[in-house]
Amino acid sequence: MCGIVGYVGHRDCSDVLVKALTGLEYRGYDSAGIAVFENQKISVAKSKGKLKDLVDKMKVEGRPKGFAGIGHTRWATHGEPSDINSHPHSGAKVTLVHNGIIENYKELKEFLQKQGRVFLSDTDTEVAAQLLDYYYSHIKEPVKAIIETTQELKGSYALGIVFEDFPNRVFAVRRESPLIVGVGKSENFIASDVPAIIEYTKDYYLLEQDEIAILDENGVRVFDNHYQPVVKELKTADWDVDAVGKCGYPHYMIKEINEQPTAIKNTVTPRVKDGMPCLDECNINPEVLRKIKNIYIVACGSAMHSGMVGKYVIEEIARTAVTVDIASEFRYRNPIIGKGDLIIIVSQSGETADSLAAMRLAKEKGAKTLAIVNAMGSTIAREADMLIYTHAGPEISVASTKAYMVQLSVMYLFAFELAFAKGQIDEEKYKYYTAKLLETPEMVEKVIAQTTEISQKISMKLLTADSLLYIGRGLDYALSMEGSLKLKEISYIHSESYAAGELKHGTISLITKDMPVIAVATQSALYEKTVSNIKEVKARGAKVIMICQDGNDVPKDIADYVLKIPTFEEILLPMLVCVPLQLIAYYTSVQKGNDVDQPRNLAKSVTVE
Ligand code: M6R
């Protein structure tokens, strides 16, 4: 989604803005632009395409020179990606950049057109710029004009604003969309996320709903929407530039796959005391857990898939029913939830619009909410009743890997604690499972080493496929969903995950000669059943890639490739098997020459519906 930056200080502003926007590239975008104070005037440069296109354009047309300004990467919502629709947008005295959606832009545009205002672009953002300019032309005071404007705007927005009459000052305001204010030495920043500013400062304020910030090189002032000063708590990012760099890896995705052992360690180890999970710091304890009636896990994409694995694990060992729901469905289907129910919202970014709305709905209906979130201080993290942070560090690649992995690890911690609290497992089993979970970082490391080469080989066989299937039963099926999503989002090859036992009720008709089928068969209790399903697809010409445990006896001629993973505690195997699934997707994308980290049409943080 769109990324916003702003800078005031002593450095070359264009340079800082472009670098800061590079730190937000992971969010996905299709155009970019900056506005800089140059000799007391606002000078704008913008271009369709990537930041490189903007930089190239500025090389030819000249680049704004100055010490304060705003910048933007746009992920098109209203109007196609084009130079004209790129941000910044301006009125007579006001120029701004925007992340979010102005829902009532049509009515506002009509009103402004009646006032004689002319629009150049198709965007909702230009309406916000013109409206602010309209109020400013009457009120002549920037903060009051911002307050008047935001009272009219419906929807979500984070705005970075410059007023021509206030050179070398940057204004910002937000509702629903995230925005931080970076605090440096004689320089200050605004940004959608910390990676934009980490090269310059680790200190930042989180701007709350409707707060307005004014930045100049000497400091930052924050006001509420009654123009009253607000005292903010300074936060410090606990990671450094390396965390957002590629550190010698060709892509963020492969770096992040390799960071998984550390991410699990950072997430699990601090939550284990005396050999047992302890989630007290997250306000979760046996008393709270025993009161839970129904559990819903609500999320989007990979985060939702971690919930699918969570469902199988929680139901299996804690004997508590779990419903997994897609957030965009849950929020609009008047779900039957209330007091006593627990809604678990899973999100890497903590800003996903549908997941946030689902959580707010659950709260309205009186259910308790537990957020499993990676991004510190994000909206979902702040609004949930209970919170478990995953500690994956910043995930830059659009395709989630380490964030999904640590979401799985938290699902296990939660399941073990719930099972013990409900008397479904005794202390011995509880400690045994926990000990095994603590072994997973080492096991994941081993699996990365053992399966990289074969995953690379397998990916070569997928390059010409139009479509493929992932099949499995039980936990293997839950995991296949993630494998399939990973492959399609970065390789652009169509794939579906299917419950192996359901194939013959329709989907098996899709199997034709040489269609790849990735069959996951790691669960002993279901092994023979899955093998039968594999035989069925093989008999119809499928090219089978089978993933199973080291010790499994694979019948002759049922698979073209067998990828074996070390034998381990079966309930935890999804944490190991997801590694080759990630690697297969990664190498397929690399070999197809795709943009691995920023796949087409996708954004990392989906802050609009
Ligand atoms: O930030 P979130 O975890 O809420 O994001 C949810 C999905 O958008 C995300 O998992 C998406 O599916 C990933 N691109 C998958 O790799």
Side-chain angles (χ1 to χ4, degrees):
M1 299 277 114
C2 304
I4 288 184
V5 296
Y7 177 74
V8 204
H10 46 85
R11 300 176 205 252
D12 173 343
C13 182
S14 296
D15 190 47
V16 175
L17 293 175
V18 171
K19 277 196 186 135
L21 288 172
T22 310
L24 298 180
E25 276 194 301
Y26 72 91
R27 295 166 75 88
Y29 68 104
D30 39 49
S31 49
I34 59 172
V36 173
F37 279 105
E38 190 171 23
N39 303 326
Q40 315 285 312
K41 290 261 176 248
I42 297 166
S43 178
V44 172
K46 52 189 191 174
S47 167
K48 180 185 162 184
K50 294 287 176 189
L51 278 166
K52 189 182 167 303
D53 299 302
L54 174 67
V55 171
D56 288 348
K57 191 173 178 185
M58 291 194 293
K59 273 185 196 147
V60 177
E61 294 178 7
R63 121 196 120 88
K65 292 184 191 70
F67 301 100
I70 50 178
H72 189 263
T73 44
R74 172 174 187 251
W75 190 82
T77 56
H78 298 65
E80 57 165 12
S82 67
D83 286 5
I84 278 288
N85 287 334
S86 308
H87 302 206
H89 290 284
S90 305
K93 295 278 189 179
V94 172
T95 296
L96 59 77
V97 290
H98 165 221
N99 170 23
I101 285 184
I102 309 297
E103 287 166 4
N104 57 339
Y105 80 101
K106 275 195 187 134
E107 297 95 282
L108 294 172
K109 193 169 182 174
E110 271 166 33
F111 164 76
L112 289 162
Q113 278 167 332
K114 279 186 195 141
Q115 310 304 311
R117 295 207 166 230
V118 177
F119 287 84
L120 304 175
S121 76
D122 306 320
T123 63
D124 53 339
T125 302
E126 193 184 0
V127 176
Q130 292 272 12
L131 187 68
L132 179 55
D133 195 66
Y134 167 81
Y135 280 118
Y136 180 68
S137 69
H138 289 88
I139 303 171
K140 307 272 184 228
E141 204 287 332
V143 174
K144 285 184 184 158
I146 291 172
I147 292 172
E148 281 301 321
T149 304
T150 51
Q151 277 168 4
E152 298 286 326
L153 298 179
K154 291 204 177 93
S156 58
Y157 51 81
L159 301 174
I161 311 161
V162 282
F163 290 83
E164 196 159 275
D165 297 340
F166 293 84
N168 295 343
R169 223 173 267 188
V170 169
F171 296 76
V173 62
R174 79 157 200 105
R175 187 181 296 161
E176 302 304 342
S177 299
L179 200 62
I180 60 165
V181 178
V183 181
K185 285 199 180 82
S186 305
E187 57 182 352
N188 295 299
F189 306 79
I190 58 166
S192 300
D193 201 356
V194 180
I197 58 164
I198 198 79
E199 189 179 334
Y200 306 100
T201 180
K202 287 184 175 187
D203 296 331
Y204 64 95
Y205 299 127
L206 278 171
L207 220 54
E208 297 290 342
Q209 238 17 5
D210 293 326
E211 283 180 348
I212 299 158
I214 308 176
L215 291 71
D216 58 28
E217 66 176 334
N218 299 318
V220 175
R221 285 170 294 154
V222 179
F223 298 93
D224 66 14
N225 57 354
H226 302 291
Y227 211 165
Q228 293 303 305
V230 179
V231 180
K232 302 291 294 178
E233 181 200 341
L234 195 64
K235 311 241 177 220
T236 303
D238 61 357
W239 34 269
D240 54 25
V241 184
D242 271 0
V244 293
K246 284 193 194 146
C247 300
Y249 287 95
H251 302 101
Y252 283 109
M253 183 174 174
I254 191 71
K255 174 186 179 231
E256 287 160 5
I257 290 173
N258 279 284
E259 283 172 345
Q260 293 183 117
T262 310
I264 305 168
K265 246 181 247 164
N266 291 345
T267 303
V268 174
T269 320
R271 271 75 182 251
V272 175
K273 292 209 173 75
D274 303 323
M276 294 176 278
C278 175
L279 300 171
D280 284 359
E281 42 128 9
C282 320
N283 291 328
I284 297 168
N285 56 48
E287 208 187 318
V288 170
L289 291 173
R290 276 192 286 269
K291 286 189 192 142
I292 296 172
K293 277 203 238 148
N294 303 301
I295 298 179
Y296 291 76
I297 303 179
V298 184
C300 306
S302 295
M304 189 269 292
H305 292 156
S306 77
M308 287 302 297
V309 172
K311 171 186 166 74
Y312 279 84
V313 176
I314 295 168
E315 292 192 342
E316 172 67 25
I317 66 167
R319 309 306 299 149
T320 304
V322 179
T323 305
V324 180
D325 235 313
I326 295 169
S328 55
E329 288 297 310
F330 178 87
R331 64 181 289 196
Y332 290 118
R333 69 172 171 76
N334 195 9
I336 307 165
I337 51 168
K339 221 166 170 275
D341 294 334
L342 177 70
I343 315 301
I344 304 179
I345 305 286
V346 190
S347 177
Q348 187 285 127
S349 62
E351 301 291 351
T352 302
D354 284 319
S355 304
L356 175 60
M359 186 176 81
R360 287 179 177 162
L361 175 72
K363 286 180 99 170
E364 250 170 60
K365 285 180 173 273
K368 276 256 170 282
T369 55
L370 161 64
I372 300 175
V373 170
N374 195 47
M376 300 273 167
S378 55
T379 312
I380 293 177
R382 280 183 286 157
E383 292 189 15
D385 300 315
M386 294 172 276
L387 168 67
I388 306 179
Y389 273 124
T390 52
H391 295 297
E395 189 180 65
I396 309 286
S397 180
V398 165
S400 184
T401 52
K402 61 175 180 171
Y404 169 79
M405 179 69 95
V406 289
Q407 286 159 0
L408 291 186
S409 71
V410 169
M411 289 293 163
Y412 288 105
L413 281 172
F414 178 82
F416 300 162
E417 181 147 3
L418 180 69
F420 185 59
K422 292 210 158 184
Q424 294 294 337
I425 52 172
D426 60 17
E427 192 175 319
E428 195 186 337
K429 192 82 184 169
Y430 190 35
K431 286 186 166 168
Y432 168 78
Y433 277 146
T434 310
K436 286 290 168 192
L437 183 61
L438 288 169
E439 281 176 32
T440 54
E442 208 182 303
M443 294 303 291
V444 167
E445 207 166 316
K446 211 167 158 183
V447 175
I448 295 174
Q450 265 183 26
T451 61
T452 296
E453 209 180 302
I454 179 148
S455 299
Q456 231 163 334
K457 266 194 202 141
I458 290 169
S459 67
M460 294 294 288
K461 306 292 166 196
L462 306 183
L463 297 180
T464 53
D466 295 328
S467 181
L468 64 143
L469 285 181
Y470 284 74
I471 61 169
R473 287 172 176 256
L475 273 174
D476 290 332
Y477 167 51
L479 178 68
S480 305
M481 294 180 181
E482 178 58 7
S484 168
L485 175 66
K486 214 81 308 173
L487 185 83
K488 66 186 144 201
E489 73 174 325
I490 57 170
S491 77
Y492 315 146
I493 300 173
H494 172 257
S495 84
E496 291 304 326
S497 57
Y498 231 77
E502 182 66 8
L503 277 176
K504 52 173 106 46
H505 299 286
T507 307
I508 201 164
S509 69
L510 291 175
I511 306 283
T512 51
K513 187 161 164 14
D514 287 338
M515 177 182 187
V517 173
I518 299 187
V520 188
T522 69
Q523 300 295 304
S524 300
L526 298 165
Y527 184 73
E528 293 306 329
K529 300 272 175 211
T530 311
V531 164
S532 301
N533 299 131
I534 296 174
K535 284 182 181 162
E536 287 159 7
V537 294
K538 186 72 197 149
R540 284 155 183 87
K543 193 189 286 168
V544 174
I545 295 126
M546 182 173 172
I547 303 180
C548 59
Q549 294 192 50
D550 259 343
N552 285 141
D553 186 13
V554 179
K556 230 172 124 239
D557 298 335
I558 68 159
D560 298 82
Y561 300 91
V562 179
L563 191 157
K564 291 204 168 177
I565 47 132
T567 302
F568 192 55
E569 179 58 35
E570 288 196 356
I571 207 158
L572 289 163
L573 279 179
M575 290 181 73
L576 308 197
V577 183
C578 78
V579 170
L581 297 183
Q582 294 165 345
L583 289 170
I584 290 171
Y586 171 73
Y587 286 113
T588 309
S589 176
V590 171
Q591 271 145 16
K592 287 191 84 176
N594 294 350
D595 189 346
V596 176
D597 291 326
Q598 288 169 46
R600 69 182 178 211
N601 305 337
L602 287 174
K604 180 73 182 162
S605 183
V606 186
T607 50
V608 295
E609 272 194 62

